[in-house]
Amino acid sequence: QVQLVESGGGLVQAGGSLRLSCASSGRTFSSYSMGWFRQAPGKEREFVAVISWHGGRTSYADSAKGRFTVSRDSDKNTVYLQMDSLKPEDTAVYYCAASYRPLPTTPANYDYWGQGTQVTVSS
């Protein structure tokens, strides 16, 4: 079993930055691809970014490319999502998730989820 806890969300003005963290406990953190998803009210959960178990490969949604950076610190069992140049349309609950599969981009391919952290970007 893996437990995931997100933190770092909040209210920020457009153009600002936030760094989300996702702390993992339980089974071996380094065995999993770690992904970030988001869900806005009335919308489906959508892929944001994913990092491989060893940290050497990443993949981003088009909406995140050039603005968001995913990274992981295996010593701290933590994955991060650095979000820069935030826009109002980035407003959502952000979730981290763990998967046994290599770099999955769909929610169904993830095995464990955190509870989410709210990000609100004001215009």
Side-chain angles (χ1 to χ4, degrees), residues 2 4 6 37 45 95-98 106-108 110-115:
V2 173
L4 303 173
E6 302 96 335
F37 288 77
R45 191 168 297 190
Y95 299 89
C96 72
T106 56
Y110 281 80
D111 305 285
Y112 303 100
W113 291 85
Q115 83 290 347

Side-chain angles (χ1 to χ4, degrees), residues 32-91:
Y32 297 92
S33 294
M34 296 297 297
W36 286 96
F37 288 77
R38 66 187 184 187
Q39 188 166 19
K43 295 188 177 181
E44 293 187 352
R45 191 168 297 190
E46 66 173 3
F47 169 73
V48 175
V50 61
I51 188 166
S52 61
W53 65 271
H54 51 71
R57 294 179 60 195
T58 58
S59 180
Y60 295 91
D62 287 344
S63 60
K65 287 179 182 177
R67 300 189 300 127
F68 294 1
T69 303
V70 61
S71 61
R72 66 191 297 163
D73 185 336
S74 293
D75 290 338
K76 296 182 179 179
N77 287 353
T78 300
V79 63
Y80 304 98
L81 184 68
Q82 177 67 41
M83 305 187 294
D84 299 317
S85 302
L86 283 162
K87 305 174 182 179
E89 51 263 45
D90 294 317
T91 295

